[in-house]
Amino acid sequence: MADNDTDSRHPDEMNLAELREEIETIDREIVEKIAQRTYVADTIAQVKSEKGLPTTDEQQEQAVMDRAGDNAEQFDVDANLVKAVFRLLIELNKVEQRESR
């Protein structure tokens, strides 16, 4: 939309644009948090490697999944969806840990 069309836009359209900008910001923050989590997971992998610990820790994975479900409920988000995202993150971290050994 051209700049001179700004005044002719309906308020709902402007709100939609603002909401989409907010989604873009949130998406960027999600990616930043994934990057931070991956960095910490890489550090954990180094510690595991130094101590000769296995890549997979089923008890810890279950604790992560339980927390994910609890957090989903707290924020009224579908727990299955949140757990699926965390399963992907865990699998990504495990693959990276195996490749780095």
Side-chain angles (χ1 to χ4, degrees):
M1 185 174 279
D3 287 339
N4 60 358
D5 291 340
T6 303
D7 294 337
S8 64
R9 288 175 26 195
H10 297 302
D12 289 348
E13 291 173 355
M14 290 177 8
N15 288 336
L16 182 58
E18 291 169 1
L19 289 168
R20 286 180 173 157
E21 283 181 29
E22 189 167 345
I23 288 288
E24 287 179 30
T25 299
I26 293 167
D27 289 349
R28 193 171 34 259
E29 291 170 354
I30 289 170
V31 172
E32 180 182 358
K33 291 298 181 187
I34 291 170
Q36 289 174 348
R37 188 183 197 285
T38 301
Y39 173 79
V40 173
D42 289 346
T43 304
I44 289 170
Q46 291 172 2
V47 171
K48 284 181 176 180
S49 180
E50 290 168 4
K51 296 186 178 223
L53 298 172
T55 300
T56 301
D57 181 343
E58 290 180 14
Q59 189 174 8
Q60 179 60 26
E61 289 178 26
Q62 187 58 52
V64 170
M65 297 305 291
D66 291 344
R67 273 195 317 267
D70 292 344
N71 286 331
E73 288 176 14
Q74 179 182 352
F75 291 100
D76 196 28
V77 178
D78 184 296
N80 289 327
L81 172 65
V82 171
K83 287 180 179 183
V85 169
F86 275 85
R87 271 189 217 97
L88 288 171
L89 291 171
I90 289 168
E91 288 305 314
L92 170 69
N93 294 143
K94 288 186 343 187
V95 167
E96 289 180 359
Q97 286 180 31
R98 285 187 202 107
E99 289 175 354
S100 67
R101 287 191 174 202

